[in-house]
Amino acid sequence: MGKSKIYTRTGDQGTTSLVGGIKVKKTHARLEAYGTVDELNAFLGMLVSLIEGEELVCQLRYVQHKLFSLGAYLATEQEQTALCMAGQLSDESVVYLERAIDEMDSSLPPLKGFILPRGNRAAALCHVCRTVCRRAERRILALEEDGVCELDTNVKRFINRLSDYLFILTRKLNYLTCSDEIYWDKSCK
């Protein structure tokens, strides 16, 4: 088997193919959505490189695999191409995040207000991941709102729960390194 070519030149005119071969512009809403999911996955890869605990690394690896599934889902025009099994998100993937959130949250002090994004290097990067996740959620929801496609409920639930997971993970990462949480000074003094 020969080495595959990295460049194909098929996108030189500003188009690309969805799963199944349907050509769309590279500025298409679907590409914005799954491109943002890909960006989130890349930031999570950086985050994993900063975390030492095997349990958290395994959780993030799970999330990265699910984000690839989400990307496959978003890249498939299901009215013309059947969705592959790998592109489906199940109730289990949402429950997995909820359990991880509950477990981490139970070990943390109660939240007293809005906290500033900061902390140790991993926690600060996790805040970046959380904000990219929120943007991905907005891009995904816009697909349905703009009539591009109807979204599976688990897609919406997973991406929403993921940002919650990332918020709790930032708190956990700061807690593990005894980094203080700085609460928003609402007085603006």
PDB file of all heavy atoms in Angstrom, residues 56 59 97-111 115 123 126-127 130 161-176 181:
ATOM      1  N   LEU A  56      -8.539  11.390  34.720  1.00  0.00           N
ATOM      2  CA  LEU A  56      -8.938  12.575  33.944  1.00  0.00           C
ATOM      3  C   LEU A  56      -8.482  12.457  32.490  1.00  0.00           C
ATOM      4  O   LEU A  56      -9.219  12.843  31.571  1.00  0.00           O
ATOM      5  CB  LEU A  56      -8.390  13.847  34.588  1.00  0.00           C
ATOM      6  CG  LEU A  56      -8.945  14.181  35.972  1.00  0.00           C
ATOM      7  CD1 LEU A  56      -8.298  15.447  36.520  1.00  0.00           C
ATOM      8  CD2 LEU A  56     -10.461  14.328  35.940  1.00  0.00           C
ATOM      9  N   GLN A  59     -10.928  10.226  30.766  1.00  0.00           N
ATOM     10  CA  GLN A  59     -12.178  10.951  30.500  1.00  0.00           C
ATOM     11  C   GLN A  59     -12.030  11.846  29.276  1.00  0.00           C
ATOM     12  O   GLN A  59     -12.906  11.862  28.401  1.00  0.00           O
ATOM     13  CB  GLN A  59     -12.580  11.807  31.708  1.00  0.00           C
ATOM     14  CG  GLN A  59     -13.126  11.034  32.859  1.00  0.00           C
ATOM     15  CD  GLN A  59     -13.446  11.927  34.052  1.00  0.00           C
ATOM     16  OE1 GLN A  59     -13.361  13.150  33.990  1.00  0.00           O
ATOM     17  NE2 GLN A  59     -13.809  11.304  35.168  1.00  0.00           N
ATOM     18  N   LEU A  97     -20.866  11.888  30.831  1.00  0.00           N
ATOM     19  CA  LEU A  97     -20.460  13.236  31.241  1.00  0.00           C
ATOM     20  C   LEU A  97     -21.138  13.650  32.542  1.00  0.00           C
ATOM     21  O   LEU A  97     -20.499  14.243  33.420  1.00  0.00           O
ATOM     22  CB  LEU A  97     -20.778  14.249  30.139  1.00  0.00           C
ATOM     23  CG  LEU A  97     -19.935  14.168  28.875  1.00  0.00           C
ATOM     24  CD1 LEU A  97     -20.415  15.192  27.852  1.00  0.00           C
ATOM     25  CD2 LEU A  97     -18.460  14.345  29.169  1.00  0.00           C
ATOM     26  N   GLU A  98     -22.418  13.333  32.669  1.00  0.00           N
ATOM     27  CA  GLU A  98     -23.148  13.705  33.887  1.00  0.00           C
ATOM     28  C   GLU A  98     -22.551  13.032  35.116  1.00  0.00           C
ATOM     29  O   GLU A  98     -22.401  13.666  36.166  1.00  0.00           O
ATOM     30  CB  GLU A  98     -24.628  13.371  33.738  1.00  0.00           C
ATOM     31  CG  GLU A  98     -25.325  14.277  32.746  1.00  0.00           C
ATOM     32  CD  GLU A  98     -26.762  13.875  32.453  1.00  0.00           C
ATOM     33  OE1 GLU A  98     -27.172  12.735  32.799  1.00  0.00           O
ATOM     34  OE2 GLU A  98     -27.491  14.691  31.861  1.00  0.00           O
ATOM     35  N   ARG A  99     -22.188  11.769  34.986  1.00  0.00           N
ATOM     36  CA  ARG A  99     -21.574  11.055  36.118  1.00  0.00           C
ATOM     37  C   ARG A  99     -20.219  11.666  36.477  1.00  0.00           C
ATOM     38  O   ARG A  99     -19.901  11.832  37.651  1.00  0.00           O
ATOM     39  CB  ARG A  99     -21.410   9.575  35.798  1.00  0.00           C
ATOM     40  CG  ARG A  99     -22.702   8.814  35.860  1.00  0.00           C
ATOM     41  CD  ARG A  99     -22.488   7.329  35.651  1.00  0.00           C
ATOM     42  NE  ARG A  99     -23.758   6.636  35.638  1.00  0.00           N
ATOM     43  CZ  ARG A  99     -24.058   5.630  34.842  1.00  0.00           C
ATOM     44  NH1 ARG A  99     -23.159   5.155  34.000  1.00  0.00           N
ATOM     45  NH2 ARG A  99     -25.238   5.069  34.888  1.00  0.00           N
ATOM     46  N   ALA A 100     -19.442  11.989  35.459  1.00  0.00           N
ATOM     47  CA  ALA A 100     -18.133  12.598  35.706  1.00  0.00           C
ATOM     48  C   ALA A 100     -18.294  13.966  36.372  1.00  0.00           C
ATOM     49  O   ALA A 100     -17.546  14.300  37.298  1.00  0.00           O
ATOM     50  CB  ALA A 100     -17.353  12.722  34.400  1.00  0.00           C
ATOM     51  N   ILE A 101     -19.274  14.732  35.939  1.00  0.00           N
ATOM     52  CA  ILE A 101     -19.551  16.039  36.542  1.00  0.00           C
ATOM     53  C   ILE A 101     -19.930  15.861  38.005  1.00  0.00           C
ATOM     54  O   ILE A 101     -19.378  16.534  38.886  1.00  0.00           O
ATOM     55  CB  ILE A 101     -20.685  16.770  35.777  1.00  0.00           C
ATOM     56  CG1 ILE A 101     -20.215  17.200  34.395  1.00  0.00           C
ATOM     57  CG2 ILE A 101     -21.192  17.978  36.576  1.00  0.00           C
ATOM     58  CD1 ILE A 101     -21.347  17.635  33.465  1.00  0.00           C
ATOM     59  N   ASP A 102     -20.866  14.976  38.258  1.00  0.00           N
ATOM     60  CA  ASP A 102     -21.332  14.758  39.638  1.00  0.00           C
ATOM     61  C   ASP A 102     -20.208  14.291  40.544  1.00  0.00           C
ATOM     62  O   ASP A 102     -20.086  14.747  41.685  1.00  0.00           O
ATOM     63  CB  ASP A 102     -22.484  13.744  39.667  1.00  0.00           C
ATOM     64  CG  ASP A 102     -23.751  14.271  39.012  1.00  0.00           C
ATOM     65  OD1 ASP A 102     -23.865  15.506  38.823  1.00  0.00           O
ATOM     66  OD2 ASP A 102     -24.623  13.445  38.680  1.00  0.00           O
ATOM     67  N   GLU A 103     -19.375  13.393  40.036  1.00  0.00           N
ATOM     68  CA  GLU A 103     -18.271  12.873  40.840  1.00  0.00           C
ATOM     69  C   GLU A 103     -17.267  13.979  41.182  1.00  0.00           C
ATOM     70  O   GLU A 103     -16.849  14.119  42.328  1.00  0.00           O
ATOM     71  CB  GLU A 103     -17.576  11.736  40.092  1.00  0.00           C
ATOM     72  CG  GLU A 103     -16.480  11.078  40.902  1.00  0.00           C
ATOM     73  CD  GLU A 103     -15.837   9.930  40.136  1.00  0.00           C
ATOM     74  OE1 GLU A 103     -16.570   9.099  39.561  1.00  0.00           O
ATOM     75  OE2 GLU A 103     -14.594   9.888  40.109  1.00  0.00           O
ATOM     76  N   MET A 104     -16.889  14.760  40.173  1.00  0.00           N
ATOM     77  CA  MET A 104     -15.935  15.844  40.441  1.00  0.00           C
ATOM     78  C   MET A 104     -16.544  16.898  41.358  1.00  0.00           C
ATOM     79  O   MET A 104     -15.900  17.363  42.299  1.00  0.00           O
ATOM     80  CB  MET A 104     -15.485  16.504  39.132  1.00  0.00           C
ATOM     81  CG  MET A 104     -14.452  15.720  38.379  1.00  0.00           C
ATOM     82  SD  MET A 104     -13.758  16.640  36.981  1.00  0.00           S
ATOM     83  CE  MET A 104     -15.080  16.496  35.783  1.00  0.00           C
ATOM     84  N   ASP A 105     -17.786  17.264  41.076  1.00  0.00           N
ATOM     85  CA  ASP A 105     -18.446  18.324  41.844  1.00  0.00           C
ATOM     86  C   ASP A 105     -18.590  17.949  43.319  1.00  0.00           C
ATOM     87  O   ASP A 105     -18.481  18.801  44.200  1.00  0.00           O
ATOM     88  CB  ASP A 105     -19.809  18.649  41.232  1.00  0.00           C
ATOM     89  CG  ASP A 105     -20.373  19.952  41.741  1.00  0.00           C
ATOM     90  OD1 ASP A 105     -19.603  20.922  41.921  1.00  0.00           O
ATOM     91  OD2 ASP A 105     -21.597  20.003  41.971  1.00  0.00           O
ATOM     92  N   SER A 106     -18.789  16.665  43.604  1.00  0.00           N
ATOM     93  CA  SER A 106     -18.965  16.229  44.995  1.00  0.00           C
ATOM     94  C   SER A 106     -17.694  16.415  45.826  1.00  0.00           C
ATOM     95  O   SER A 106     -17.759  16.472  47.048  1.00  0.00           O
ATOM     96  CB  SER A 106     -19.417  14.764  45.041  1.00  0.00           C
ATOM     97  OG  SER A 106     -18.365  13.908  44.637  1.00  0.00           O
ATOM     98  N   SER A 107     -16.548  16.518  45.164  1.00  0.00           N
ATOM     99  CA  SER A 107     -15.281  16.678  45.892  1.00  0.00           C
ATOM    100  C   SER A 107     -14.837  18.141  45.987  1.00  0.00           C
ATOM    101  O   SER A 107     -13.789  18.426  46.555  1.00  0.00           O
ATOM    102  CB  SER A 107     -14.182  15.864  45.207  1.00  0.00           C
ATOM    103  OG  SER A 107     -13.876  16.418  43.939  1.00  0.00           O
ATOM    104  N   LEU A 108     -15.642  19.043  45.441  1.00  0.00           N
ATOM    105  CA  LEU A 108     -15.256  20.458  45.399  1.00  0.00           C
ATOM    106  C   LEU A 108     -16.050  21.286  46.404  1.00  0.00           C
ATOM    107  O   LEU A 108     -17.194  20.953  46.720  1.00  0.00           O
ATOM    108  CB  LEU A 108     -15.494  21.022  43.992  1.00  0.00           C
ATOM    109  CG  LEU A 108     -14.687  20.367  42.876  1.00  0.00           C
ATOM    110  CD1 LEU A 108     -15.159  20.878  41.522  1.00  0.00           C
ATOM    111  CD2 LEU A 108     -13.208  20.628  43.062  1.00  0.00           C
ATOM    112  N   PRO A 109     -15.465  22.395  46.866  1.00  0.00           N
ATOM    113  CA  PRO A 109     -16.229  23.286  47.738  1.00  0.00           C
ATOM    114  C   PRO A 109     -17.377  23.915  46.950  1.00  0.00           C
ATOM    115  O   PRO A 109     -17.288  24.051  45.724  1.00  0.00           O
ATOM    116  CB  PRO A 109     -15.207  24.343  48.176  1.00  0.00           C
ATOM    117  CG  PRO A 109     -14.052  24.221  47.248  1.00  0.00           C
ATOM    118  CD  PRO A 109     -14.099  22.851  46.644  1.00  0.00           C
ATOM    119  N   PRO A 110     -18.454  24.306  47.645  1.00  0.00           N
ATOM    120  CA  PRO A 110     -19.586  24.924  46.938  1.00  0.00           C
ATOM    121  C   PRO A 110     -19.150  26.190  46.200  1.00  0.00           C
ATOM    122  O   PRO A 110     -18.273  26.917  46.664  1.00  0.00           O
ATOM    123  CB  PRO A 110     -20.574  25.262  48.054  1.00  0.00           C
ATOM    124  CG  PRO A 110     -20.130  24.476  49.235  1.00  0.00           C
ATOM    125  CD  PRO A 110     -18.671  24.203  49.077  1.00  0.00           C
ATOM    126  N   LEU A 111     -19.770  26.423  45.092  1.00  0.00           N
ATOM    127  CA  LEU A 111     -19.500  27.615  44.296  1.00  0.00           C
ATOM    128  C   LEU A 111     -20.214  28.800  44.929  1.00  0.00           C
ATOM    129  O   LEU A 111     -21.393  28.714  45.264  1.00  0.00           O
ATOM    130  CB  LEU A 111     -20.005  27.376  42.866  1.00  0.00           C
ATOM    131  CG  LEU A 111     -19.533  28.296  41.767  1.00  0.00           C
ATOM    132  CD1 LEU A 111     -18.011  28.287  41.653  1.00  0.00           C
ATOM    133  CD2 LEU A 111     -20.131  27.857  40.448  1.00  0.00           C
ATOM    134  N   ILE A 115     -16.663  32.805  38.836  1.00  0.00           N
ATOM    135  CA  ILE A 115     -15.208  32.813  39.021  1.00  0.00           C
ATOM    136  C   ILE A 115     -14.530  33.298  37.748  1.00  0.00           C
ATOM    137  O   ILE A 115     -15.034  33.089  36.634  1.00  0.00           O
ATOM    138  CB  ILE A 115     -14.659  31.425  39.430  1.00  0.00           C
ATOM    139  CG1 ILE A 115     -15.007  30.355  38.395  1.00  0.00           C
ATOM    140  CG2 ILE A 115     -15.145  31.028  40.791  1.00  0.00           C
ATOM    141  CD1 ILE A 115     -14.323  29.029  38.631  1.00  0.00           C
ATOM    142  N   ALA A 123      -5.850  24.311  34.118  1.00  0.00           N
ATOM    143  CA  ALA A 123      -7.176  24.883  34.383  1.00  0.00           C
ATOM    144  C   ALA A 123      -7.453  26.068  33.468  1.00  0.00           C
ATOM    145  O   ALA A 123      -8.562  26.218  32.946  1.00  0.00           O
ATOM    146  CB  ALA A 123      -7.297  25.289  35.845  1.00  0.00           C
ATOM    147  N   CYS A 126      -8.262  24.744  30.200  1.00  0.00           N
ATOM    148  CA  CYS A 126      -9.585  24.125  30.254  1.00  0.00           C
ATOM    149  C   CYS A 126     -10.683  25.181  30.113  1.00  0.00           C
ATOM    150  O   CYS A 126     -11.713  24.935  29.500  1.00  0.00           O
ATOM    151  CB  CYS A 126      -9.732  23.326  31.551  1.00  0.00           C
ATOM    152  SG  CYS A 126     -11.109  22.177  31.533  1.00  0.00           S
ATOM    153  N   HIS A 127     -10.454  26.381  30.659  1.00  0.00           N
ATOM    154  CA  HIS A 127     -11.400  27.481  30.455  1.00  0.00           C
ATOM    155  C   HIS A 127     -11.494  27.848  28.971  1.00  0.00           C
ATOM    156  O   HIS A 127     -12.582  28.126  28.464  1.00  0.00           O
ATOM    157  CB  HIS A 127     -10.992  28.715  31.266  1.00  0.00           C
ATOM    158  CG  HIS A 127     -11.493  28.715  32.669  1.00  0.00           C
ATOM    159  ND1 HIS A 127     -12.835  28.780  32.991  1.00  0.00           N
ATOM    160  CD2 HIS A 127     -10.824  28.676  33.849  1.00  0.00           C
ATOM    161  CE1 HIS A 127     -12.979  28.783  34.305  1.00  0.00           C
ATOM    162  NE2 HIS A 127     -11.776  28.711  34.848  1.00  0.00           N
ATOM    163  N   ARG A 130     -13.609  25.291  27.396  1.00  0.00           N
ATOM    164  CA  ARG A 130     -15.021  25.524  27.735  1.00  0.00           C
ATOM    165  C   ARG A 130     -15.631  26.590  26.827  1.00  0.00           C
ATOM    166  O   ARG A 130     -16.740  26.421  26.320  1.00  0.00           O
ATOM    167  CB  ARG A 130     -15.139  25.937  29.200  1.00  0.00           C
ATOM    168  CG  ARG A 130     -16.537  26.295  29.649  1.00  0.00           C
ATOM    169  CD  ARG A 130     -16.563  26.848  31.073  1.00  0.00           C
ATOM    170  NE  ARG A 130     -15.697  27.989  31.285  1.00  0.00           N
ATOM    171  CZ  ARG A 130     -15.990  29.241  30.902  1.00  0.00           C
ATOM    172  NH1 ARG A 130     -17.120  29.506  30.289  1.00  0.00           N
ATOM    173  NH2 ARG A 130     -15.137  30.225  31.145  1.00  0.00           N
ATOM    174  N   ARG A 161     -23.740  19.464  27.776  1.00  0.00           N
ATOM    175  CA  ARG A 161     -23.183  18.851  28.974  1.00  0.00           C
ATOM    176  C   ARG A 161     -21.665  18.937  28.979  1.00  0.00           C
ATOM    177  O   ARG A 161     -21.042  19.055  30.024  1.00  0.00           O
ATOM    178  CB  ARG A 161     -23.626  17.378  29.079  1.00  0.00           C
ATOM    179  CG  ARG A 161     -23.890  16.939  30.483  1.00  0.00           C
ATOM    180  CD  ARG A 161     -25.083  17.663  31.124  1.00  0.00           C
ATOM    181  NE  ARG A 161     -26.332  17.000  30.788  1.00  0.00           N
ATOM    182  CZ  ARG A 161     -27.282  17.550  30.015  1.00  0.00           C
ATOM    183  NH1 ARG A 161     -27.153  18.743  29.517  1.00  0.00           N
ATOM    184  NH2 ARG A 161     -28.388  16.903  29.757  1.00  0.00           N
ATOM    185  N   LEU A 162     -21.067  18.898  27.790  1.00  0.00           N
ATOM    186  CA  LEU A 162     -19.615  18.965  27.713  1.00  0.00           C
ATOM    187  C   LEU A 162     -19.091  20.291  28.262  1.00  0.00           C
ATOM    188  O   LEU A 162     -18.077  20.311  28.967  1.00  0.00           O
ATOM    189  CB  LEU A 162     -19.133  18.744  26.273  1.00  0.00           C
ATOM    190  CG  LEU A 162     -17.622  18.761  26.068  1.00  0.00           C
ATOM    191  CD1 LEU A 162     -16.902  17.773  26.974  1.00  0.00           C
ATOM    192  CD2 LEU A 162     -17.300  18.495  24.601  1.00  0.00           C
ATOM    193  N   SER A 163     -19.763  21.380  27.974  1.00  0.00           N
ATOM    194  CA  SER A 163     -19.285  22.655  28.521  1.00  0.00           C
ATOM    195  C   SER A 163     -19.426  22.667  30.041  1.00  0.00           C
ATOM    196  O   SER A 163     -18.571  23.227  30.740  1.00  0.00           O
ATOM    197  CB  SER A 163     -20.004  23.841  27.881  1.00  0.00           C
ATOM    198  OG  SER A 163     -21.379  23.777  28.106  1.00  0.00           O
ATOM    199  N   ASP A 164     -20.471  22.040  30.566  1.00  0.00           N
ATOM    200  CA  ASP A 164     -20.606  21.915  32.029  1.00  0.00           C
ATOM    201  C   ASP A 164     -19.467  21.074  32.597  1.00  0.00           C
ATOM    202  O   ASP A 164     -18.886  21.406  33.630  1.00  0.00           O
ATOM    203  CB  ASP A 164     -21.946  21.267  32.396  1.00  0.00           C
ATOM    204  CG  ASP A 164     -23.148  22.098  31.978  1.00  0.00           C
ATOM    205  OD1 ASP A 164     -23.020  23.329  31.870  1.00  0.00           O
ATOM    206  OD2 ASP A 164     -24.217  21.498  31.756  1.00  0.00           O
ATOM    207  N   TYR A 165     -19.166  19.986  31.922  1.00  0.00           N
ATOM    208  CA  TYR A 165     -18.064  19.112  32.339  1.00  0.00           C
ATOM    209  C   TYR A 165     -16.756  19.899  32.375  1.00  0.00           C
ATOM    210  O   TYR A 165     -15.981  19.814  33.330  1.00  0.00           O
ATOM    211  CB  TYR A 165     -17.948  17.919  31.380  1.00  0.00           C
ATOM    212  CG  TYR A 165     -16.672  17.133  31.533  1.00  0.00           C
ATOM    213  CD1 TYR A 165     -16.548  16.151  32.514  1.00  0.00           C
ATOM    214  CD2 TYR A 165     -15.573  17.389  30.709  1.00  0.00           C
ATOM    215  CE1 TYR A 165     -15.363  15.444  32.669  1.00  0.00           C
ATOM    216  CE2 TYR A 165     -14.393  16.686  30.862  1.00  0.00           C
ATOM    217  CZ  TYR A 165     -14.287  15.724  31.841  1.00  0.00           C
ATOM    218  OH  TYR A 165     -13.110  15.030  31.989  1.00  0.00           O
ATOM    219  N   LEU A 166     -16.501  20.681  31.336  1.00  0.00           N
ATOM    220  CA  LEU A 166     -15.250  21.436  31.269  1.00  0.00           C
ATOM    221  C   LEU A 166     -15.170  22.502  32.360  1.00  0.00           C
ATOM    222  O   LEU A 166     -14.094  22.774  32.896  1.00  0.00           O
ATOM    223  CB  LEU A 166     -15.070  22.049  29.880  1.00  0.00           C
ATOM    224  CG  LEU A 166     -14.833  21.013  28.768  1.00  0.00           C
ATOM    225  CD1 LEU A 166     -14.958  21.664  27.393  1.00  0.00           C
ATOM    226  CD2 LEU A 166     -13.498  20.311  28.932  1.00  0.00           C
ATOM    227  N   PHE A 167     -16.308  23.096  32.716  1.00  0.00           N
ATOM    228  CA  PHE A 167     -16.313  24.065  33.814  1.00  0.00           C
ATOM    229  C   PHE A 167     -15.930  23.388  35.130  1.00  0.00           C
ATOM    230  O   PHE A 167     -15.069  23.869  35.868  1.00  0.00           O
ATOM    231  CB  PHE A 167     -17.685  24.744  33.952  1.00  0.00           C
ATOM    232  CG  PHE A 167     -17.747  25.652  35.135  1.00  0.00           C
ATOM    233  CD1 PHE A 167     -17.118  26.885  35.122  1.00  0.00           C
ATOM    234  CD2 PHE A 167     -18.412  25.265  36.283  1.00  0.00           C
ATOM    235  CE1 PHE A 167     -17.153  27.723  36.229  1.00  0.00           C
ATOM    236  CE2 PHE A 167     -18.450  26.093  37.401  1.00  0.00           C
ATOM    237  CZ  PHE A 167     -17.824  27.327  37.370  1.00  0.00           C
ATOM    238  N   ILE A 168     -16.564  22.256  35.406  1.00  0.00           N
ATOM    239  CA  ILE A 168     -16.255  21.538  36.654  1.00  0.00           C
ATOM    240  C   ILE A 168     -14.815  21.029  36.626  1.00  0.00           C
ATOM    241  O   ILE A 168     -14.118  21.041  37.642  1.00  0.00           O
ATOM    242  CB  ILE A 168     -17.252  20.371  36.879  1.00  0.00           C
ATOM    243  CG1 ILE A 168     -18.648  20.916  37.179  1.00  0.00           C
ATOM    244  CG2 ILE A 168     -16.792  19.436  37.979  1.00  0.00           C
ATOM    245  CD1 ILE A 168     -18.736  21.746  38.454  1.00  0.00           C
ATOM    246  N   LEU A 169     -14.346  20.608  35.463  1.00  0.00           N
ATOM    247  CA  LEU A 169     -12.972  20.145  35.348  1.00  0.00           C
ATOM    248  C   LEU A 169     -11.992  21.271  35.671  1.00  0.00           C
ATOM    249  O   LEU A 169     -10.977  21.036  36.325  1.00  0.00           O
ATOM    250  CB  LEU A 169     -12.698  19.572  33.952  1.00  0.00           C
ATOM    251  CG  LEU A 169     -11.291  19.027  33.704  1.00  0.00           C
ATOM    252  CD1 LEU A 169     -10.916  17.942  34.709  1.00  0.00           C
ATOM    253  CD2 LEU A 169     -11.177  18.511  32.276  1.00  0.00           C
ATOM    254  N   THR A 170     -12.275  22.500  35.258  1.00  0.00           N
ATOM    255  CA  THR A 170     -11.378  23.611  35.606  1.00  0.00           C
ATOM    256  C   THR A 170     -11.303  23.774  37.115  1.00  0.00           C
ATOM    257  O   THR A 170     -10.226  23.975  37.677  1.00  0.00           O
ATOM    258  CB  THR A 170     -11.817  24.955  34.994  1.00  0.00           C
ATOM    259  OG1 THR A 170     -13.100  25.304  35.464  1.00  0.00           O
ATOM    260  CG2 THR A 170     -11.799  24.911  33.494  1.00  0.00           C
ATOM    261  N   ARG A 171     -12.450  23.673  37.772  1.00  0.00           N
ATOM    262  CA  ARG A 171     -12.466  23.788  39.226  1.00  0.00           C
ATOM    263  C   ARG A 171     -11.661  22.653  39.861  1.00  0.00           C
ATOM    264  O   ARG A 171     -10.913  22.860  40.796  1.00  0.00           O
ATOM    265  CB  ARG A 171     -13.905  23.781  39.749  1.00  0.00           C
ATOM    266  CG  ARG A 171     -14.712  24.997  39.300  1.00  0.00           C
ATOM    267  CD  ARG A 171     -15.985  25.167  40.100  1.00  0.00           C
ATOM    268  NE  ARG A 171     -15.620  25.584  41.466  1.00  0.00           N
ATOM    269  CZ  ARG A 171     -16.249  25.169  42.562  1.00  0.00           C
ATOM    270  NH1 ARG A 171     -17.268  24.328  42.486  1.00  0.00           N
ATOM    271  NH2 ARG A 171     -15.851  25.591  43.755  1.00  0.00           N
ATOM    272  N   LYS A 172     -11.839  21.449  39.336  1.00  0.00           N
ATOM    273  CA  LYS A 172     -11.122  20.284  39.863  1.00  0.00           C
ATOM    274  C   LYS A 172      -9.605  20.436  39.676  1.00  0.00           C
ATOM    275  O   LYS A 172      -8.832  20.171  40.595  1.00  0.00           O
ATOM    276  CB  LYS A 172     -11.613  19.009  39.162  1.00  0.00           C
ATOM    277  CG  LYS A 172     -10.959  17.724  39.611  1.00  0.00           C
ATOM    278  CD  LYS A 172     -11.458  17.296  40.950  1.00  0.00           C
ATOM    279  CE  LYS A 172     -10.960  15.903  41.298  1.00  0.00           C
ATOM    280  NZ  LYS A 172     -11.523  15.420  42.547  1.00  0.00           N
ATOM    281  N   LEU A 173      -9.191  20.894  38.508  1.00  0.00           N
ATOM    282  CA  LEU A 173      -7.767  21.062  38.242  1.00  0.00           C
ATOM    283  C   LEU A 173      -7.158  22.121  39.156  1.00  0.00           C
ATOM    284  O   LEU A 173      -6.034  21.955  39.634  1.00  0.00           O
ATOM    285  CB  LEU A 173      -7.545  21.430  36.764  1.00  0.00           C
ATOM    286  CG  LEU A 173      -7.878  20.316  35.765  1.00  0.00           C
ATOM    287  CD1 LEU A 173      -7.862  20.865  34.348  1.00  0.00           C
ATOM    288  CD2 LEU A 173      -6.928  19.141  35.916  1.00  0.00           C
ATOM    289  N   ASN A 174      -7.891  23.186  39.434  1.00  0.00           N
ATOM    290  CA  ASN A 174      -7.403  24.193  40.375  1.00  0.00           C
ATOM    291  C   ASN A 174      -7.365  23.644  41.790  1.00  0.00           C
ATOM    292  O   ASN A 174      -6.417  23.882  42.543  1.00  0.00           O
ATOM    293  CB  ASN A 174      -8.263  25.460  40.316  1.00  0.00           C
ATOM    294  CG  ASN A 174      -7.851  26.360  39.177  1.00  0.00           C
ATOM    295  OD1 ASN A 174      -6.684  26.440  38.819  1.00  0.00           O
ATOM    296  ND2 ASN A 174      -8.819  27.057  38.609  1.00  0.00           N
ATOM    297  N   TYR A 175      -8.383  22.878  42.143  1.00  0.00           N
ATOM    298  CA  TYR A 175      -8.466  22.285  43.480  1.00  0.00           C
ATOM    299  C   TYR A 175      -7.300  21.326  43.736  1.00  0.00           C
ATOM    300  O   TYR A 175      -6.680  21.354  44.795  1.00  0.00           O
ATOM    301  CB  TYR A 175      -9.813  21.573  43.633  1.00  0.00           C
ATOM    302  CG  TYR A 175     -10.044  20.936  44.974  1.00  0.00           C
ATOM    303  CD1 TYR A 175     -10.408  21.710  46.072  1.00  0.00           C
ATOM    304  CD2 TYR A 175      -9.900  19.564  45.143  1.00  0.00           C
ATOM    305  CE1 TYR A 175     -10.633  21.127  47.314  1.00  0.00           C
ATOM    306  CE2 TYR A 175     -10.122  18.969  46.371  1.00  0.00           C
ATOM    307  CZ  TYR A 175     -10.487  19.748  47.459  1.00  0.00           C
ATOM    308  OH  TYR A 175     -10.704  19.167  48.691  1.00  0.00           O
ATOM    309  N   LEU A 176      -6.991  20.511  42.745  1.00  0.00           N
ATOM    310  CA  LEU A 176      -5.909  19.531  42.883  1.00  0.00           C
ATOM    311  C   LEU A 176      -4.544  20.180  43.085  1.00  0.00           C
ATOM    312  O   LEU A 176      -3.645  19.580  43.674  1.00  0.00           O
ATOM    313  CB  LEU A 176      -5.861  18.600  41.662  1.00  0.00           C
ATOM    314  CG  LEU A 176      -7.014  17.614  41.517  1.00  0.00           C
ATOM    315  CD1 LEU A 176      -6.951  16.903  40.171  1.00  0.00           C
ATOM    316  CD2 LEU A 176      -7.029  16.614  42.669  1.00  0.00           C
ATOM    317  N   GLU A 181      -9.535  30.062  43.634  1.00  0.00           N
ATOM    318  CA  GLU A 181     -10.515  30.573  42.690  1.00  0.00           C
ATOM    319  C   GLU A 181     -10.760  32.038  43.041  1.00  0.00           C
ATOM    320  O   GLU A 181     -10.949  32.378  44.206  1.00  0.00           O
ATOM    321  CB  GLU A 181     -11.833  29.786  42.791  1.00  0.00           C
ATOM    322  CG  GLU A 181     -11.705  28.368  42.291  1.00  0.00           C
ATOM    323  CD  GLU A 181     -13.011  27.591  42.335  1.00  0.00           C
ATOM    324  OE1 GLU A 181     -13.776  27.753  43.306  1.00  0.00           O
ATOM    325  OE2 GLU A 181     -13.255  26.838  41.389  1.00  0.00           O
TER     326      GLU A 181
END
